[in-house]
Amino acid sequence: MDTLQDWLAHCERLHPKTIDLGLERVRAVADRMGLAFSCPVVTVAGTNGKGSTCAMLEAIALQAGYRTGVYTSPHLVHFEERCRIRGEIVQAAQLLPHFERVEAARQDASLTYFEFTTLAILSLMAASELDLAILEVGLGGRLDAVNIIDTDCAVITGIDLDHTELLGPDRESIGREKAGILRGGRPAVVSDPVPPHSVLQYAQAIGADLWLLGRDFNFSGDRQQWAWAGRGRRYAGLAYPALRGANQLLNASGVLAALEALRPRLPVTAQAIRNGLAMVDLPGRFQIVPGQPTLVLDVAHNPHAAAALAANLDAMGFYPATHAVFGAMGDKDLDTIFARLSPLVDRWYFCDLPTPRAASAQQLAARWQASPSHRPVPASTHPSPQDALASAVGASDPTDRILVFGSFFTVGGVLQNGVPRLQAKHLG
């Protein structure tokens, strides 16, 4: 296997399941690899806000002069996006020796694609002389492959219903799974404003140092700036994070709490915080692409994220029409997603996605037609996100707005050839 694509194809063939939660197999391989970090590790779990939290932590740490490594998943376009070292997306060639290390240590263990690739990326990060490792948990927490690494500071972002068939039917059971990343005696930052009791109970049971929004840290803001206060430290006059959306202040508050908890090992200046928040960048999170019409990209694919997206769209002001390109997995709560977005959408463009888990464009259209929130607006089906976007551009006036949202495959599909520059037909 000479290329990254060869290795990824190999990983896809190894295990009969895409997801097989549990740490025994992956931990045994990690132990044979001698996988360990010599720097502080921040592990981030939650339903929504994980990627934004990781990006802000990274941006501030980089501005403070630290050597950072970040692992997030899934990717939008290229697998290499899952790992950044010192702010740069890794090259395929950097990953190859670490795939070889995993294969050599695997022996007869049957690893899923996610488990194998996680071990390879963790191996690369552990060998990269980092000052800070930031690890996003893929799904859940307790049984996720990332949880083989003991965290120095855990962050739990907003918790809501998603992956209920694997994590449980309500916020309490999902919260218990997320809380599995916490460690006794280590900081546990919870930026969800109304966390499930299961998270608090588990933190107390294991003796974690619990940082709660509203108790141990808080934020306030007006239209111009915001302020944060934690255990004995305050920051005033902060500019809003470069990531758009009202929900980003919740994420940023958790980030500042995590940095405060790590201050004895990883001090950062107020200027690094200001610069990091101003410069943070994360494609596909309420990403607004200027042009005619305006293009909005968002990987909202569950009810909680859809509600935040709807609020953010509402705050953008008036547009004569909103065209929505939508593709999603078949196991999502589509009725609730439609209920959140339907009042704002004037025309739907449903698209197929290149994965067996996805609902087809025809299935999405049928679910939309049957949903209680259905409005009699035009809708069409398309073989790919790019085809759907092209149709939306063709039907849009320059003053309209096009929203591309849903799965990472949906947003990634329109970003394959770079950020699209739209030019609608001229009025009249």
Side-chain angles (χ1 to χ4, degrees), residues 98-173:
H98 299 281
F99 276 85
E100 290 168 6
R101 279 195 73 205
V102 179
E103 182 67 8
R106 186 173 65 84
Q107 298 178 6
D108 59 350
S110 175
L111 299 175
T112 66
Y113 175 96
F114 179 75
E115 290 167 342
F116 196 116
T117 57
T118 294
L119 286 170
I121 289 173
L122 293 177
S123 174
L124 169 61
M125 290 176 65
S128 295
E129 297 182 336
L130 303 178
D131 299 313
L132 174 65
I134 302 164
L135 308 179
E136 178 189 338
V137 174
L139 186 155
R142 182 174 64 94
L143 299 177
D144 186 278
V146 172
N147 201 32
I148 59 169
I149 304 297
D150 285 329
T151 190
D152 294 282
C153 177
V155 179
I156 295 181
T157 64
I159 294 174
D160 213 84
L161 302 185
D162 202 4
H163 302 292
T164 51
E165 72 286 358
L166 293 167
L167 304 180
D170 50 40
R171 289 182 77 240
E172 289 299 326
S173 49

Side-chain angles (χ1 to χ4, degrees), residues 39 56 398:
C39 66
M56 285 189 262

